[in-house]
Amino acid sequence: MGAKVVFKPYDPDQLTFLPYKLEELVPEGHPVRIVKQVVDLIDVKPINRKYKGGGASSFHPRLMLKLLVYGYLTNTYSSRKLEDQAAQNVHFMWLLGMKKPDHNTINRFRSEKLSGILKQIFSQIVLLLAEQGIVSLKETVFTDGTKIESVANKYTFVWGKSIKNSKEKIKSQLDELWKYAQGLAAEELKDTTPISFEEINPEKVKETIAKIDAALNDKEEVSKQVKQKLNYARKNWPANLERYDQQEKQLGIRNSFSKTDPDATFMRMKEDHMLNGQLKPGYNLQISTQDQFILNYSLHQTSTDYQTLPSHIDQYEALYNTLPQAVVADAGYGSDENYGILQQKGIEAYIKYNTFDKEQKEGIKAFSNDSLHYNEGENYLTCPMGQRMAHIGDGQRITTSGHVQLISRYQAKNCNNCPMRGVCHSGQGNRIVEVNHSLRKHKQEAKERLNTEQGIKYRKRRPADVEPVFAQLKHNHGFRRFLLKGMSKTEVEIGLLSIAHNLRKWKA
């Protein structure tokens, strides 16, 4: 006969002599205790100023901030799920003192009260880390970027090139209609001021169409197709041009935006199921890390990393009133403008340029502009055959970010009789090269710095410092897409993610 089975007593209706305390249900060292401890230390006056006063009482900003930070720390991003957690999860109940904000309150606090000021809260937490010696704001930071998809519909887009083509089409068709009218009604239009269609606007189009209508009104020979086009132009072109002007204002220097989230730009992203780099509306997130703690974050509407660095560094300085000793980044940030800005600020730039890795393996490509020796004293280049290439002029080139580059031009002599003509220069006449001496100098300095013992250490450390942070946020914690629309709201989401990441790692 087998041993008797004994079960532990179980009576869900049994009363306890003393009620449970939530405090007893939260283990020591639990992340929720870290959130409470840190948020209790920071100054929430910037949030308090967002409240107007009067009316019904509000939940305390410190309580709401704890709810959101711990929510993002536990991968709970939805306001409705946060509402559920506040009513059901022991850790949330303990953290909030049994208060239960509803999802509308949570969403308004996140979207409105934290907008524009969360970076001040984030910087306070980083300063606490610095006070404890966990990070140093004056030492080296590692910078990188990733693209995060907007919640916008990826099939509702506006392209700058398409707007330009549509406006050109209207100009061309309006010019054709005007010439057609002049051919049939030259007498009626003889006193009309000549019209230029180089620049058009809604008022000008209305005026021109009205003149054409008046001139052709009693002309029997006007074709049916022209009448239809005039009717269509009268009804649609002015409104279309107004819409195009508004869209161009929304575009700014961008080349696209989403109709359902105008702040989002279409960027090539690899995180789709085919991994083939589809264009999706999104934002470019930039972070600077140290020992995988996030010291600075910024969100951008441009897909190119090099354009984001100046404002990212300016923000670092504004937040902490200091600058890092060095910035380490990959080749996406290597530009004449960025090297110059970091040099002016006294920051060592351990930043690759676009051909650095290839040069490390293969050396500088023979016959390239960079391979030509430059005599700075007499301002000439030396061609591969040892002949002087005389300076023939200077010019300027303006980048998409507005940075002005000085370009010098040099021309070789006797290229036609040169035995290296085929491999050195295939164009007609003597070879002409354009050189940005500032960039050339910056690249040489960057190369020397990156190949020092310290530079090699930084190059090895960079992928292990900043890239795992993106892996944590996007893969381990499932944040691949924003929940909110608009730059100000998505910045709040990134701020909460960054705070949660730092507190999670602080605990670890």
Side-chain angles (χ1 to χ4, degrees):
M1 185 175 181
K4 183 180 179 181
V5 179
V6 180
F7 296 103
K8 295 183 184 294
Y10 169 65
D11 182 1
D13 298 320
Q14 180 180 356
L15 298 176
T16 58
F17 180 67
L18 293 173
Y20 287 111
K21 290 183 179 179
L22 288 177
E23 179 74 26
E24 297 172 351
L25 302 178
V26 181
E28 290 296 325
H30 194 279
V32 73
R33 291 188 180 273
I34 299 292
V35 171
K36 181 180 185 301
Q37 178 185 351
V38 172
V39 176
D40 280 341
L41 288 174
I42 63 177
D43 181 9
V44 294
K45 288 190 184 71
I47 308 176
N48 293 347
R49 297 188 190 103
K50 289 284 192 93
Y51 290 85
K52 296 179 180 178
S57 60
S58 303
F59 289 103
H60 197 282
R62 205 178 294 275
L63 176 149
M64 298 299 295
L65 186 60
K66 289 176 182 176
L67 169 61
L68 282 166
V69 170
Y70 188 61
Y72 275 69
L73 191 146
T74 55
N75 308 341
T76 310
Y77 310 122
S78 160
S79 58
R80 290 184 181 273
K81 289 182 179 178
L82 286 169
E83 178 185 10
D84 292 341
Q85 292 288 64
Q88 301 169 10
N89 188 301
V90 169
H91 299 145
F92 279 89
M93 293 162 69
W94 172 82
L95 183 65
L96 305 179
M98 299 297 291
K99 298 294 189 294
K100 300 174 184 177
D102 63 42
H103 65 274
N104 285 323
T105 303
I106 296 168
N107 200 39
R108 280 197 303 272
F109 180 82
R110 177 172 56 184
S111 300
E112 299 171 11
K113 300 298 188 286
L114 295 183
S115 176
I117 54 93
L118 187 58
K119 284 178 182 174
Q120 298 176 45
I121 306 299
F122 166 80
S123 64
Q124 288 185 58
I125 295 174
V126 173
L127 287 168
L128 288 174
L129 288 167
E131 286 175 11
Q132 295 199 10
I134 297 173
V135 299
S136 172
L137 297 173
K138 295 185 178 181
E139 293 184 6
T140 302
V141 298
F142 300 84
T143 300
D144 204 353
T146 190
K147 297 172 182 66
I148 299 182
E149 186 178 353
S150 166
V151 70
N153 187 327
K154 61 184 178 183
Y155 299 112
T156 57
F157 45 78
V158 173
W159 292 97
K161 189 173 181 180
S162 177
I163 294 173
K164 184 178 179 181
N165 290 341
S166 297
K167 291 178 77 172
E168 288 295 330
K169 187 175 180 181
I170 289 176
K171 283 198 287 186
S172 174
Q173 292 181 346
L174 189 61
D175 187 37
E176 289 176 6
L177 285 172
W178 181 255
K179 289 176 179 175
Y180 179 86
Q182 284 183 316
L184 286 182
E187 186 65 26
E188 289 84 347
L189 295 174
K190 66 179 181 179
D191 296 327
T192 302
T193 304
I195 296 177
S196 169
F197 298 109
E198 289 301 316
E199 293 292 334
I200 59 171
N201 56 60
E203 291 303 319
K204 185 174 182 179
V205 169
K206 285 181 186 177
E207 178 188 344
T208 305
I209 292 173
K211 289 179 179 178
I212 294 173
D213 264 339
L216 300 181
N217 188 35
D218 57 351
K219 301 291 182 182
E220 295 181 359
E221 61 268 40
V222 177
S223 68
K224 182 180 179 181
Q225 290 82 358
V226 170
K227 289 180 179 179
Q228 289 175 338
K229 182 174 283 190
L230 270 173
N231 189 43
Y232 178 86
R234 187 186 312 106
K235 290 180 179 178
N236 296 283
W237 286 359
N240 288 350
L241 285 171
E242 286 182 6
R243 187 174 76 252
Y244 296 152
D245 289 344
Q246 182 61 35
Q247 289 173 343
E248 285 183 328
K249 288 178 182 177
Q250 288 180 309
L251 277 170
I253 62 171
R254 296 182 289 163
N255 60 7
S256 65
F257 70 84
S258 167
K259 290 181 181 178
T260 50
D261 182 5
D263 285 350
T265 305
F266 277 79
M267 304 177 183
R268 196 164 295 281
M269 301 187 189
K270 298 176 182 177
E271 280 110 0
D272 60 276
H273 62 284
M274 297 296 289
L275 295 177
N276 59 1
Q278 292 185 357
L279 284 171
K280 296 180 182 179
Y283 298 86
N284 188 351
L285 168 63
Q286 297 289 312
I287 63 172
S288 290
T289 67
Q290 189 180 99
D291 293 328
Q292 296 183 12
F293 283 95
I294 300 174
L295 304 190
N296 189 26
Y297 69 87
S298 59
L299 211 57
H300 303 265
Q301 296 172 293
T302 176
S303 60
T304 52
D305 287 337
Y306 82 89
Q307 289 181 290
T308 67
L309 190 62
S311 61
H312 186 74
I313 294 298
D314 286 344
Q315 179 180 282
Y316 189 103
E317 186 174 16
L319 288 176
Y320 306 117
N321 199 28
T322 189
L323 286 166
Q325 172 192 345
V327 171
V328 185
D330 63 19
Y333 299 84
S335 72
D336 183 32
E337 180 181 9
N338 289 344
Y339 288 130
I341 287 173
L342 294 181
Q343 187 178 64
Q344 289 172 10
K345 290 181 177 290
I347 301 173
E348 294 180 4
Y350 291 89
I351 300 177
K352 297 178 182 178
Y353 47 90
N354 58 348
T355 58
F356 175 80
D357 287 328
K358 190 172 184 180
E359 287 179 11
Q360 291 295 105
K361 296 178 182 178
E362 305 173 8
I364 296 178
K365 189 176 181 181
F367 307 109
S368 69
N369 289 4
D370 288 339
S371 69
L372 304 178
H373 173 72
Y374 175 58
N375 186 309
E376 186 174 0
E378 299 184 39
N379 192 20
Y380 68 84
L381 294 176
T382 304
C383 80
M385 283 297 291
Q387 302 296 315
R388 284 194 180 193
M389 300 181 71
H391 176 243
I392 58 172
D394 295 315
Q396 288 185 343
R397 184 181 297 150
I398 301 176
T399 66
T400 52
S401 64
H403 177 64
V404 179
Q405 297 178 332
L406 180 63
I407 306 299
S408 297
R409 302 175 76 239
Y410 299 85
Q411 186 172 29
K413 298 178 180 178
N414 303 321
C415 286
N416 290 335
N417 299 321
C418 179
M420 294 186 180
R421 171 65 187 254
V423 291
C424 175
H425 173 53
S426 57
Q428 294 182 354
N430 293 325
R431 180 180 178 182
I432 297 176
V433 299
E434 295 184 343
V435 176
N436 179 344
H437 287 297
S438 174
L439 177 59
R440 212 180 199 220
K441 184 178 179 182
H442 286 316
K443 285 168 66 174
Q444 183 59 37
E445 291 172 350
K447 184 176 182 178
E448 292 172 0
R449 193 178 294 119
L450 287 164
N451 282 319
T452 62
E453 184 178 348
Q454 185 66 69
I456 293 170
K457 285 181 180 178
Y458 282 154
R459 282 159 51 195
K460 290 179 179 178
R461 182 179 165 188
R462 186 200 65 80
D465 200 297
V466 63
E467 292 179 9
V469 176
F470 291 135
Q472 282 281 345
L473 299 181
K474 299 177 82 170
H475 301 289
N476 293 355
H477 300 288
F479 197 92
R480 295 185 178 87
R481 194 181 190 202
F482 288 108
L483 277 72
L484 307 176
K485 296 179 182 178
M487 191 75 166
S488 63
K489 294 179 182 179
T490 49
E491 277 191 331
V492 169
E493 289 195 83
I494 288 301
L496 290 168
L497 272 176
S498 300
I499 291 171
H501 171 82
N502 285 348
L503 295 186
R504 187 187 295 117
K505 186 165 175 59
W506 197 348
K507 163 64 173 63

